[in-house]
Amino acid sequence: MGADCRPRRQDEDVYKLLRPYVAEWFRRRYCRFSEPQLKAIPLIKRGANVLVSSPTGTGKTLAVFLGIIDELYRLSEEERLEDEVYAIYISPLRALNNDMRRNLMAPLDGIRSVAREMGFSVADIRVGVRTSDTSPSEKQKMLRRPPHILITTPESLAIALVAPRFRERLATARWVVVDEIHELASSKRGAHLALSLERLEELVRERGGQLQRIGLSATIAPLEEVARFIGGYNDDGTPRPVEIVDARFSKPLDIRVLAPNIDLIHADAEEVNNAIYEILVDLIKRHRTTLVFTNTRSATERVVYRLKKLVEGEGLLDLDEIEAHHSSLSRELRLSVEERLKKGELRVVVSSTSLELGIDIGSIDLVVLLSSPKSVSRLLQRVGRSGHRIDDVSKGRIIVVDRDDLVECSVLAKLAMDRKIDRVRIPRKPLDVLAQHIVGMSVERKWRIDEAYRVVRRAYNFRDLGFDEFMEVVRFLAGKHGLEDEGVYSKIWLDEADGTFGRKRAARMIYQLNAGTIPDEAKIKVRTVDGRYVGSLEEEFVEILAPGDVFVLGGRTYRFLRSKGMTVIVEEAEGARPTVPSWFSEMLPLSFDSALEVGRFRCWVAEGIKSGREHDVIRALVSDYNLDLHAAESIVSYVREQLEYIGVVPCHNLILVEWFPDDDGDWVIVFHTLYGRRVVDALSRAYAYELTRLSGYPVRLTVSDNGFALRLPPEANLSRATIIRLLEAVGPDNIDEKLRRAIMKTELLKRRFRHVAQRSFMILRRYRGRERSPERMQLSAQRILNAILELEPDNPVLRETLREIMEDYMDVENARRILRGIRDGSIRVEVKGPLPAPSPFAHGIIVKLYSDVVLMEDKRRILQLLHERVMRYIGSNRAISVSGR
């Protein structure tokens, strides 16, 4: 900062809390504290548990560590700084850990230099990183001379807790800092960490200490729930107090939606692409460094390829100044891109989701999102990567690709500017994570059952865990499940009469070699019925396949027949239309909260049109939503066409069910259920299951963010009465059971069961020096699953698989909420049909789900043909209306 920088009064209040040399170092370097620093440092110095939520670049990490470093230097001055671990910093990425070490060493070196200059004698504060990348020799050094600040990951902390000698080093911890909570809380990694923290708390208590918990998060909501997640619960069931530093909106925002100024319906694919890249290149030219986010890895590669071709032709910038960054690239390539970006050597980086986290990538002038980020939280997280300094504006632009995208992005951008954030969903009672930790606890020592149950229930995710549920998992791990013939053996011993359990001999090795919650990424081989290899698929894609589904691989179409282990069997389906796009499993799902707001927006536009205030709506879209006139008129035109064709605009409190015969003669029912992909997935499977039962015919199912389509053969003789019976058959009281039945024989269950079985140590990835391939594990999992279904259908591993699918992968809780709304009349359902063609709002559902990206021209042509049919119908009705007058 400049010499004329004068701290404000609130800055001086914080300076008084710090050692003189710590305060002086900060004064010289920054002068004034940011909002999260002003609020967090006093709380941390006071010893409070704290959750700090603020955007990237607001100094929240320094806010936390300045207070901790100050305390460590105080101990040093008093000659009480021992060779002990005092602070544990946990982040979800190993790359973040190395960043963090570098970022901590700079202030430590600077403070020590200022201290000596001011005549203070202070010790060196050591910082160490312990992850799976840490060498055995480094780990040995840490045992002899432990770091004062230990940097690690959730997985490495869990393993350190059972390391015979290093475990004791953790017992002296006073602070635990969890970074990127928004990334962890919504997954099983977060549940795994929550239990590790309670085990660490128990260890620290044994030495008479207590942990001060500090959480760091980007924009997330609701903060009260996230605070309970980081704080956990006391033994008496009350939540530990956690102070919240809400600085989520401490940086100014500038977010706008940009739509190509062309006819998004009648322009061909090349025109749309050219218009999108014209906007993108113009933005890149006007900014020094641009970070572009796509929603899939394949799209990232396509954008980089196209950009390089464009700039090569125009000579705008060097080809080496454009790079891709996504999770499928090697770690070395990713680190190289991050380093070059930090040094200012790159003009453009295109990423999928891999740069959303707080990796230090230096100064970014602009963030561009190609299409919808699907939630306000993700939008804010991405845009927050721009404007590196505390007082910089975070600047983001969203380029839309079609009319549905335009509507969705306009709503998300407005919500972001209005600071309305989606709520995080935290997994409840994941039994596979519990099983893993019970084995880990048994390795530590012999436990009393009630004592272990008390520790587990202190973790936020397990606060509602019943004792019977806990005991089912303990008994499963003790081998009381009748699955020894399938090679599933006990991991712990259990004495229920004595009320104790402990480890069996191999438990430590099993835990250390198999702990963690992230499933192996596996490629699935694709073979034809005669055994010919044709390529491979991502496992997430295979999860959504059902027998009869048609997909594209290597430019050819194939029909899925069945799977065996890590191989799927197909037959050629030349000329058949794909029912599942190859990119579908990669797509980010629209969140429930954001979907509701898109629904309300639709209603608002429709009401304006119906009441003759169309021009007022357009003016509001331009002034309140920052849209240009062309984009505003496009939205109004879209909603008007829907009203003129069918008279109904589906929105947050109105579900439209329309049905019609398609060009092949099949019956198609489209449910406009705009409640987010995970809710739609749950509703769609329940209705598809019930329609198969009602009609006696197999139902083809396709899902999007805005709704779903059910397809029946012509001979099904679909009628309005059948649809009404279908709607009456699925309700809030029976959707769970219908979903369970719908899921039982799917690829989704088979694949997810393997993941849960691995986490539960039912099947082991590594054992006695051998590593099993995903192929062998999948075959074992399928064999065990068949045995469980026959012998023990209430097995906790199977129950957890179903819970994970229904609650984490889908959203059955909010699906029940929607069905209750239908029952009590707060959500209306209108059935329209048989129609001569699908309504305008159905076009996106049909086209996205029935054509693959390799058939882009076909997709554009289908959209145009559907639109022409609708407009002809509207035109003829207007003519009839006029002649009737």
Side-chain angles (χ1 to χ4, degrees):
M1 287 286 175
D4 62 341
C5 173
R6 291 187 180 86
R8 301 154 299 184
R9 188 170 130 194
Q10 61 261 46
D11 295 311
E12 294 294 356
D13 291 341
V14 177
Y15 276 128
K16 288 173 187 172
L17 299 174
L18 302 172
R19 319 304 299 160
Y21 44 89
V22 174
E24 180 59 25
W25 171 82
F26 190 90
R27 197 186 310 270
R28 292 180 189 180
R29 185 77 190 269
Y30 301 104
C31 182
R32 291 176 179 166
F33 294 100
S34 67
E35 183 185 348
Q37 291 166 346
L38 282 170
K39 293 177 177 176
I41 291 172
L43 294 171
I44 290 162
K45 291 286 291 180
R46 199 176 78 206
N49 298 321
V50 183
L51 170 65
V52 184
S53 183
S54 71
T56 302
T58 53
K60 60 178 175 286
T61 309
L62 186 57
V64 166
F65 274 106
L66 210 58
I68 293 172
I69 288 168
D70 190 77
E71 282 298 296
L72 293 176
Y73 278 129
R74 181 180 62 78
L75 291 174
S76 172
E77 282 184 54
E78 297 169 0
E79 297 186 350
R80 292 195 296 124
L81 187 70
E82 307 288 344
D83 281 343
E84 294 177 346
V85 172
Y86 286 89
I88 302 172
Y89 167 88
I90 303 161
S91 83
L93 288 182
R94 289 192 300 255
L96 279 178
N97 288 337
N98 293 319
D99 252 2
M100 191 64 217
R101 187 181 187 282
R102 283 194 298 270
N103 293 343
L104 268 180
M105 291 314 298
L108 285 171
D109 291 343
I111 291 168
R112 192 169 56 249
S113 174
V114 172
R116 287 170 184 162
E117 182 188 315
M118 294 175 68
F120 289 89
S121 175
V122 292
D124 289 347
I125 292 173
R126 296 188 300 277
V127 181
V129 177
R130 185 184 174 105
T131 68
S132 56
D133 292 337
T134 307
S135 67
S137 62
E138 279 295 312
K139 289 179 180 177
Q140 283 299 316
K141 283 181 194 171
M142 284 187 195
L143 272 174
R144 292 191 297 271
R145 202 159 178 251
H148 299 115
I149 300 173
L150 174 68
I151 297 173
T152 191
T153 61
E155 292 74 20
S156 293
L157 173 64
I159 292 168
L161 282 167
V162 300
R165 293 167 64 199
F166 196 73
R167 166 181 168 78
E168 292 310 309
R169 293 298 193 187
L170 300 177
T172 59
R174 287 175 49 180
W175 298 276
V176 62
V177 180
V178 181
D179 204 353
E180 307 285 350
I181 284 186
H182 57 280
E183 178 70 15
L184 289 167
S186 60
S187 70
K188 286 190 174 181
R189 285 187 85 193
H192 190 271
L193 175 61
L195 278 177
S196 289
L197 292 180
E198 292 309 330
R199 289 168 57 195
L200 177 63
E201 183 84 48
E202 195 72 5
L203 177 62
V204 169
R205 278 188 189 185
E206 288 169 10
R207 291 276 293 266
Q210 186 176 356
L211 284 176
Q212 182 180 352
R213 301 169 182 231
I214 302 160
L216 301 176
S217 176
T219 306
I220 195 169
L223 290 181
E224 294 74 21
E225 186 175 5
V226 180
R228 286 195 292 273
F229 169 78
I230 186 65
Y233 286 70
N234 294 308
D235 289 335
D236 64 2
T238 58
R240 294 189 185 101
V242 178
E243 300 285 346
I244 295 171
V245 173
D246 184 0
R248 291 173 294 179
F249 309 109
S250 56
K251 285 182 77 175
L253 284 172
D254 174 11
I255 301 174
R256 290 197 63 181
V257 174
L258 305 176
N261 195 6
I262 57 172
D263 183 340
L264 287 171
I265 293 293
H266 296 101
D268 62 33
E270 193 57 27
E271 283 179 277
V272 174
N273 269 331
N274 287 342
I276 288 169
Y277 280 98
E278 193 177 305
I279 296 171
L280 181 56
V281 169
D282 179 60
L283 290 170
I284 290 167
K285 281 196 292 191
R286 290 192 282 115
H287 295 85
R288 187 176 54 80
T289 312
T290 302
L291 176 57
V292 181
F293 280 106
T294 69
N295 285 348
T296 67
R297 295 186 293 271
S298 54
T300 295
E301 293 290 353
R302 286 200 309 273
V303 172
V304 168
Y305 176 79
R306 180 80 180 245
L307 273 179
K308 287 192 172 186
K309 284 284 185 190
L310 281 171
V311 300
E312 188 177 31
E314 296 184 29
L316 294 172
L317 53 148
D318 196 309
L319 293 184
D320 292 337
E321 294 179 305
I322 305 172
E323 291 290 356
H325 189 290
H326 57 75
S327 57
S328 295
L329 295 173
S330 70
R331 183 168 178 266
E332 290 71 25
L333 273 174
R334 293 199 307 272
L335 288 174
S336 169
V337 171
E338 290 160 22
E339 202 57 38
R340 291 179 63 203
L341 191 54
K342 207 181 303 183
K343 290 176 180 175
E345 295 173 2
L346 296 175
R347 286 284 305 278
V348 185
V349 172
V350 186
S351 175
S352 50
T353 58
S354 53
L355 284 179
E356 286 179 356
L357 289 180
I359 299 166
D360 184 5
I361 51 174
S363 183
I364 302 291
D365 297 322
L366 175 71
V367 167
V368 177
L369 290 80
L370 294 178
S371 194
S372 170
K374 299 297 176 182
S375 78
V376 183
S377 302
R378 179 169 270 112
L379 172 56
L380 288 166
Q381 173 75 357
R382 289 180 169 185
V383 172
R385 302 301 274 149
S386 67
H388 192 62
R389 290 188 302 275
I390 289 168
D391 52 353
D392 285 345
V393 174
S394 288
K395 185 176 180 182
R397 297 292 181 264
I398 313 171
I399 304 176
V400 301
V401 298
D402 57 40
R403 297 198 295 182
D404 283 324
D405 203 30
L406 173 58
V407 170
E408 191 175 298
C409 291
S410 299
V411 174
L412 293 183
K414 179 76 161 59
L415 290 170
M417 294 298 288
D418 290 346
R419 315 313 206 226
K420 293 178 181 174
I421 310 165
D422 322 81
R423 293 165 298 167
V424 68
R425 284 186 56 85
I426 299 175
R428 302 290 172 86
K429 300 190 290 189
L431 299 182
D432 50 354
V433 173
L434 173 62
Q436 200 172 119
H437 277 274
I438 289 171
V439 174
M441 292 169 82
S442 78
V443 175
E444 294 170 4
R445 60 181 170 87
K446 173 182 168 181
W447 283 82
R448 290 203 55 78
I449 292 171
D450 56 350
E451 185 184 16
Y453 177 59
R454 171 181 56 76
V455 171
V456 165
R457 287 194 69 215
R458 292 201 309 240
Y460 176 82
N461 306 73
F462 295 93
R463 70 196 189 282
D464 297 326
L465 182 75
F467 185 71
D468 289 345
E469 293 173 295
F470 177 77
M471 284 307 299
E472 282 175 358
V473 177
V474 172
R475 290 186 189 112
F476 153 70
L477 292 168
K480 303 182 187 303
H481 46 55
L483 292 171
E484 286 85 354
D485 290 346
E486 304 303 327
V488 181
Y489 302 108
S490 58
K491 313 297 185 296
I492 65 172
W493 60 260
L494 169 65
D495 186 339
E496 289 199 58
D498 187 44
T500 57
F501 70 88
R503 72 182 175 95
K504 287 210 160 179
R505 197 167 65 178
R508 183 186 302 280
M509 178 176 61
I510 288 171
Y511 188 79
Q512 289 180 323
L513 293 177
N514 296 276
T517 60
I518 304 170
D520 295 324
E521 282 198 12
K523 289 280 189 180
I524 312 294
K525 292 174 185 171
V526 181
R527 295 188 183 277
T528 56
V529 282
D530 57 5
R532 182 167 52 87
Y533 174 74
V534 294
S536 63
L537 296 168
E538 299 284 343
E539 191 167 19
E540 290 115 325
F541 181 70
V542 175
E543 281 184 348
I544 60 177
L545 292 178
D549 271 331
V550 176
F551 62 91
V552 173
L553 180 61
R556 302 175 73 94
T557 47
Y558 297 95
R559 182 173 288 106
F560 173 67
L561 301 177
R562 62 186 181 278
S563 72
K564 183 181 180 184
M566 304 303 277
T567 302
V568 302
I569 312 300
V570 300
E571 64 182 10
E572 291 195 15
E574 191 175 344
R577 210 163 45 189
T579 57
V580 186
S582 63
W583 41 262
F584 185 69
S585 64
E586 284 187 58
M587 288 295 287
L588 299 168
L590 179 64
S591 71
F592 177 70
D593 292 337
S594 293
L596 285 178
E597 294 299 331
V598 175
R600 290 189 178 94
F601 175 84
R602 282 181 175 184
C603 273
W604 169 70
V605 175
E607 287 304 315
I609 293 169
K610 286 192 285 188
S611 62
R613 295 180 294 103
E614 194 170 300
H615 293 298
D616 293 338
V617 171
I618 291 171
R619 274 197 297 273
L621 289 173
V622 172
S623 62
D624 298 347
Y625 288 79
N626 283 322
L627 296 174
D628 61 34
L629 184 60
H630 170 78
E633 288 174 342
S634 183
I635 288 173
V636 169
S637 171
Y638 187 26
V639 177
R640 191 195 321 112
E641 286 170 14
Q642 176 74 14
L643 280 171
E644 289 182 339
Y645 179 69
I646 203 169
V648 176
V649 170
C651 54
H652 67 292
N653 59 4
L654 195 159
I655 293 171
L656 169 64
V657 181
E658 59 177 274
W659 54 292
F660 48 86
D662 72 1
D663 292 343
D664 298 328
D666 288 346
W667 289 107
V668 179
I669 313 171
V670 174
F671 283 69
H672 295 265
T673 46
L674 182 54
Y675 300 112
R677 171 96 61 78
R678 293 169 59 242
V679 172
V680 172
D681 209 337
L683 291 171
S684 66
R685 287 176 190 258
Y687 280 118
Y689 170 82
E690 191 58 32
L691 185 58
T692 299
R693 196 186 67 78
L694 283 173
S695 69
Y697 290 93
V699 174
R700 311 289 316 127
L701 168 64
T702 46
V703 178
S704 82
D705 286 320
N706 293 347
F708 60 94
L710 306 178
R711 179 186 289 264
L712 283 167
E715 54 270 26
N717 293 322
L718 185 66
S719 67
R720 182 183 177 86
T722 304
I723 294 173
I724 298 300
R725 283 205 309 276
L726 173 64
L727 288 166
E728 291 170 346
V730 179
D733 304 327
N734 63 22
I735 185 172
D736 292 65
E737 181 57 30
K738 291 189 187 299
L739 264 184
R740 269 192 287 271
R741 292 183 180 181
I743 290 164
M744 286 313 288
K745 292 184 179 178
T746 61
E747 288 298 314
L748 182 60
L749 183 80
K750 287 185 199 174
R751 308 281 154 194
R752 295 288 171 134
F753 179 80
R754 186 189 94 236
H755 297 165
V756 173
Q758 274 184 251
R759 292 189 202 104
S760 307
F761 298 159
M762 178 180 265
I763 56 175
L764 302 176
R765 183 170 64 250
R766 302 182 189 93
Y767 186 59
R768 295 192 186 280
R770 289 197 302 255
E771 182 153 352
R772 301 172 80 195
S773 68
E775 172 89 33
R776 287 188 61 197
M777 286 191 291
Q778 185 64 45
L779 289 168
S780 293
Q782 286 178 213
R783 191 181 67 249
I784 294 167
L785 176 59
N786 291 336
I788 286 173
L789 290 172
E790 190 176 328
L791 296 169
E792 193 193 5
D794 201 36
N795 180 282
V797 178
L798 176 57
R799 259 195 298 131
E800 172 54 27
T801 306
L802 289 166
R803 189 212 64 78
E804 179 184 301
I805 291 170
M806 292 167 62
E807 294 182 15
D808 300 345
Y809 178 77
M810 300 177 194
D811 183 359
V812 72
E813 182 184 341
N814 279 316
R816 282 195 296 269
R817 173 178 159 185
I818 299 308
L819 291 169
R820 279 196 297 272
I822 293 171
R823 175 185 284 177
D824 66 25
S826 59
I827 296 175
R828 287 192 300 127
V829 180
E830 294 218 17
V831 180
K832 298 282 185 176
L835 301 173
S839 74
F841 278 21
H843 296 178
I845 296 173
I846 291 166
V847 170
K848 282 181 181 176
L849 299 167
Y850 287 84
S851 63
D852 200 271
V853 286
V854 298
L855 305 172
M856 180 60 85
E857 286 300 337
D858 288 354
K859 177 179 174 178
R860 302 296 310 171
R861 189 68 193 130
I862 293 167
L863 267 178
Q864 289 161 15
L865 287 170
L866 290 173
H867 188 257
E868 285 166 12
R869 286 185 197 172
V870 165
M871 296 314 291
R872 274 201 305 272
Y873 181 86
I874 291 171
S876 65
N877 275 10
R878 281 178 186 152
I880 292 167
S881 173
V882 169
S883 63
R885 275 187 221 138

